[in-house]
């Protein structure tokens, strides 16, 4: 966000109404994007506009000071930044963490506090980059978007403000003229742009959040500031036309850029170049230039408050959704209106009084002392939120659900001994949660799938009618999805930028039966169950997985183009690997991606074709290929819901048709029939006729808003094992 209200490229005027209006346009685009108003799926480009404006204004200010005094007073510059940035941002952070105690599910409070620490220290962009949170994807599969996510752009700018004045100060000390300064800017901007393009392809999350890959946008504005009045040598009519082209470019970018765009990369050039064109138009162009539009009083009013509007609108939307669920259009209008009121008040009562305080401006040390005080307040509020978060524990205890009794022990035909992990979980599960051995045990006679479903029926009936969350829920609600299967730590679940199949083996490497599980993170969630079976029966399990790459060749609408290319390359690599080292059975698993876009006849047909295509290719390796149906998809993170409804847990049940759409189940069955694949539906493992459980006995079935937990996977071991046995026995016949 830009935070300087004056423009200062030496010979130009000190106030630019066109830039104030440009700020307004930028913040309007960001707000309508976040609030899902209109067709502006790329409204986030408003942030790119802010970057260019900030680079222009700050560099203009510093260059004018250098021309006037021969140097740059760094202490004065940073004191102004403190007065401009910290009062409003600290107010928003503290208000957010206070409101979160009432509005956010209790189990998420600690994470809000940790995000607040990053926001207060202006390093939250590093936090989200490390967390691999996909902003343009709308944090599609995040359990809960952070109410402080938007602080990432403030962090990028603040980091720029720390580094860039040093560079200009150093150039001034070296006696560099504007031409030399322009060369330095060009070199730095070029390197940053190249890094941005490269990393957008290989590590798009890092490209999005980090200063080195975003600096070229701020430096584009800096370059324009160095050019100064040279821009005015271009005829006014030409500059005016260029300005209107710039307005059109920004609007076009907000319409055509979407979740499927590889962003920032090349795509960010459109809003950046367009913003440069608008600023270059200046105020001395003909009256029909875009300045006349941008100078309209409503836009001037919004532009003057753009910083406050940017700060308040996102936490207002996220906290409201956390408290009351998905908002309809009318509710979003009310929330945005409330945030506009808060922005107006904070601008009048906090921003302007502190920024224009003559007493604080008289001596930089006063601004620094005030800044330290604000940082202490923000850090204290964050730490209190982390350390005094509400402990969420149910009452009473629930029985451990058992599908197979452990009265006798079965010895596998191949003589492989039965083993167990040190903590009660089978080896290779990666679980830090103790799980009763009864959930994965076997008896002298293995029950059939039908036998197990009959035993499961009363457990499911109890699960969908129980209102009390048990105190011994496993994993506990406070675990927050931290208990991950081994493919995450083994590096076998490939991340962005990696396309070469990397197999991880579990169980007996020389096992006589070999099974591959292929897919995305929804394949990884079954690894603990398969590892349990493999260790006991002497099988070999091979895992091939890549994040956001379903086992089916389906490109869902929210997938960035770079991810789609990577998925295609990875799937080919998997087939090559399984051709070189054949297996007996391939289990193909994926999140049902059409649910994310909206299930229609068209998307169901595309889902069917996708499974037919990839499943058919896997059949060429000589293996049996089975589609393993996905677990029901919740409308929200069940753990968050349960933490709010400790004595009304049925509120959190999943509607079966929404969580397991009949159209997609039918599409999967039809794909299996068409491509000579087997199909293992899992809906009856989780659901009654119309509702799906989120806990069974003391087992918490979901670790987040779309993955099952390790204890859940282990509980379903008997059903998974019976299904595999049936597949292998059919093949033997």
């Amino acid at each position: 966000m830009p935070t300087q209200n004056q423009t200062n490229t030496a010979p130009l005027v000190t106030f630019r109404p066109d830039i104030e209006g440009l700020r307004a346009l930028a913040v309007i685009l960001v707000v309508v994007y976040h609030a899902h108003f209109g067709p502006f799926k790329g409204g986030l480009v408003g942030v790119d506009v802010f970057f260019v404006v900030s680079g222009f204004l700050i560099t203009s200010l510093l260059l004018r000071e250098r021309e006037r005094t021969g140097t740059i007073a760094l202490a004065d510059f940073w004191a102004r930044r403190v007065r401009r940035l910290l009062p409003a941002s600290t107010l928003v952070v503290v208000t957010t963490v206070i409101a979160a105690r009432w509005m956010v599910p209790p189990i998420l409070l600690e994470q809000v506090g940790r995000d607040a620490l990053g926001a207060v220290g202006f390093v939250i962009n590093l936090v989200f980059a490390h967390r691999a949170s996909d902003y343009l994807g709308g944090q599609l599969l995040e359990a809960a978007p952070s109410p402080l996510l938007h602080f990432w752009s403030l962090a990028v700018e603040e980091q720029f403000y720390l580094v860039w004045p040093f560079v200009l100060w150093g150039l001034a000390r070296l006696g560099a003229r504007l031409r030399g300064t322009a060369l330095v800017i060009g070199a730095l901007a070029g390197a940053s742009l190249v890094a941005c393009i490269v990393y957008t392809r290989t590590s798009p999350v890092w490209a999005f959040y980090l200063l080195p890959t975003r600096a070229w946008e701020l430096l584009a504005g800096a370059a324009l500031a160095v050019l100064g009045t040279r821009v005015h040598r271009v005829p006014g009519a030409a500059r005016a036309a260029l300005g209107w082209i710039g307005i059109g470019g920004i609007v076009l970018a907000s319409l055509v850029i979407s979740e499927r765009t590889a962003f920032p990369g090349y795509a960010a050039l459109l809003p950046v170049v367009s913003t440069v064109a608008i600023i270059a138009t200046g105020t001395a162009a003909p009256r029909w230039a875009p300045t006349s539009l941008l100078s309209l009083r409503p836009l001037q009013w919004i532009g003057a408050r753009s910083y406050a509007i940017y700060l308040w609108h996102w936490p207002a939307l996220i906290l409201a959704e956390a408290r009351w669920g998905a908002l309809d259009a009318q509710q979003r209008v009310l929330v945005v209106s409330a945030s506009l009121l808060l922005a107006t008040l904070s601008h009048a009562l906090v921003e302007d009084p502190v920024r224009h305080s003559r007493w604080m401006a008289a001596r930089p040390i006063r601004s620094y002392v005030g800044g330290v005080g604000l940082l202490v307040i923000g850090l204290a509020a964050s730490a209190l939120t982390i350390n005094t978060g509400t402990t969420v524990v149910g009452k009473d205890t629930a029985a451990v659900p058992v599908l197979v009794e452990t009265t006798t022990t079965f010895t596998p035909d191949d003589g492989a001994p039965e083993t167990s992990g040190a903590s009660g979980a089978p080896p290779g599960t990666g679980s830090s949660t103790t799980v009763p051995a009864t959930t994965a045990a076997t008896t002298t006679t293995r029950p059939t799938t039908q036998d197990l479903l009959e035993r499961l029926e009363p457990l499911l009936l109890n699960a969908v009618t129980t209102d009390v969350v048990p105190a011994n829920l496993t994993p506990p609600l406070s675990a927050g999805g931290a208990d991950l299967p081994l493919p995450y730590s083994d590096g076998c679940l490939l991340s962005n930028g990696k396309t070469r199949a990397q197999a991880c083996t579990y169980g007996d490497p020389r096992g006589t039966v070999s099974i591959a599980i292929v897919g995305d993170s929804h394949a990884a969630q079954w690894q603990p169950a398969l590892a349990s079976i493999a260790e006991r029966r002497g099988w070999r399990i091979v895992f091939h997985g890549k994040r956001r790459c379903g086992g089916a060749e389906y490109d869902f609408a929210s997938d960035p183009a770079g991810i789609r290319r990577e998925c295609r390359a990875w799937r080919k690599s998997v087939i090559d690997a399984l051709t070189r080292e054949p297996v007996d059975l391939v289990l193909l698993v994926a999140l049902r991606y059409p649910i994310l876009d909206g299930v229609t006849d068209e998307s169901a047909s595309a889902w069917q074709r996708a499974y037919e295509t990839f499943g058919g290719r896997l059949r060429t390796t000589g293996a049996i290929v089975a589609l393993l149906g996905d677990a029901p998809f919740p409308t929200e993170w069940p753990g968050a819901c349960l933490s709010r409804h400790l004595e009304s847990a049925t509120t959190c049940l999943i509607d079966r048709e929404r969580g397991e759409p009949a159209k997609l189940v039918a599409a999967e069955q039809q794909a299996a029939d068409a491509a000579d694949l087997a199909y293992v539906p899992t809906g009856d493992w989780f659901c009654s006729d119309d509702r799906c459980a989120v806990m069974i006995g003391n087992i918490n079935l979901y670790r987040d808003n779309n993955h099952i937990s390790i204890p859940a996977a282990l509980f379903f071991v008997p059903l998974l094992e019976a299904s595999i046995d049936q597949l292998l026995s059919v093949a033997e016949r």
Side-chain angles (χ1 to χ4, degrees), residues 129-146:
H130 179 72
R131 196 180 296 171
S133 175
D134 181 7
Y135 198 115
L136 260 184
Q139 297 191 78
L140 204 55
L141 298 179
E142 291 284 337
S146 171

Side-chain angles (χ1 to χ4, degrees), residues 42 51 144 170 426 547 595 631:
F51 283 161
R547 295 174 188 264
I595 292 178

Side-chain angles (χ1 to χ4, degrees), residues 430-443:
S431 175
S432 60
T433 304
T434 300
V435 180
T438 53
T439 63
T442 58
T443 60

Side-chain angles (χ1 to χ4, degrees), residues 245-261:
I245 292 173
I247 294 286
I250 291 174
V251 174
L252 177 64
S254 71
L255 294 172
V256 301
I257 290 175
S258 69
E259 292 87 350
R260 301 194 70 156
T261 306

Side-chain angles (χ1 to χ4, degrees), residues 24 42 57 75 224 256 259 272 396 410 512 542 550-551 619:
L57 294 176
L224 187 59
V256 301
E259 292 87 350
V272 169
D396 303 328
F410 172 79
T512 55
V542 179
R619 287 282 289 136

